[in-house]
């Protein structure tokens, strides 16, 4: 895929709606947040950086240009404001650069599950 990085802003209510959409599809890759969802796709709880989502606060989201258009049933992302799409580099190339940087420092890529989305 040739997806590029997109940055956008959502308020707390929109972020909760996005989390509900993520729950409805059974989960998506997220970072900085923790969700508890039901097997039926209902959002039970959501925190960002360990804190409840504040309705009046603005949250900066990094995602793909494809998802930022509301695709894959993540409709709320299309409502994002202050949208910036970095079309000069693909997400794939950003990942390659990051892995090369880790390798140059003698570090390995590590993966683990950390409970970002819990199904109850």
């Amino acid at each position: 895929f040739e997806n590029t990085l997109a940055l956008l802003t959502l308020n707390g209510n929109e972020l909760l709606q996005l989390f509900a959409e993520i729950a409805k599809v059974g989960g998506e890759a997220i970072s900085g947040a923790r969700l508890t969802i039901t097997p039926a796709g209902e959002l039970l709880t959501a925190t960002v950086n360990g804190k409840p989502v504040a309705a009046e606060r603005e949250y900066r989201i990094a995602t793909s240009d494809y998802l930022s258009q509301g695709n894959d049933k993540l409709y709320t992302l299309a409502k994002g404001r202050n949208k910036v799409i970095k079309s000069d580099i693909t997400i794939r190339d950003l990942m390659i650069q990051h892995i090369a940087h880790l390798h140059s420092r003698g570090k390995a890529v590590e993966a683990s599950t950390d409970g970002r989305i819990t199904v109850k």
Side-chain angles (χ1 to χ4, degrees), residues 92-109:
R92 177 194 63 241
D93 288 339
L94 285 170
M95 292 176 69
I96 290 169
Q97 286 178 8
H98 179 69
I99 292 167
H101 174 73
L102 288 175
H103 179 71
S104 72
R105 298 179 70 202
K107 296 185 177 184
V109 175

Side-chain angles (χ1 to χ4, degrees), residues 69-81:
Q69 298 167 22
N71 293 310
D72 281 356
K73 301 181 182 178
L74 300 181
Y75 309 113
T76 302
L77 287 173
K79 297 178 184 177
R81 292 166 302 288

Side-chain angles (χ1 to χ4, degrees), residues 11-23:
N11 67 35
N13 289 327
E14 292 165 332
L15 185 62
L16 287 172
Q17 180 59 44
L18 173 63
F19 288 160
E21 292 167 355
I22 290 171

Side-chain angles (χ1 to χ4, degrees), residues 37 44-45 52 56 59 62 65-67 71 76 81 88 112 119:
I37 65 175
L44 297 175
T45 64
E56 70 284 352
Y59 294 86
D65 60 327
Y66 176 78
L67 293 178
N71 293 310
T76 302
R81 292 166 302 288
D88 55 334
S112 64
V119 179

Side-chain angles (χ1 to χ4, degrees), residues 27-44:
E28 289 280 347
I30 61 171
S31 177
R34 292 195 183 272
L35 310 180
T36 304
I37 65 175
T38 68
E42 180 185 355
L43 177 66
L44 297 175

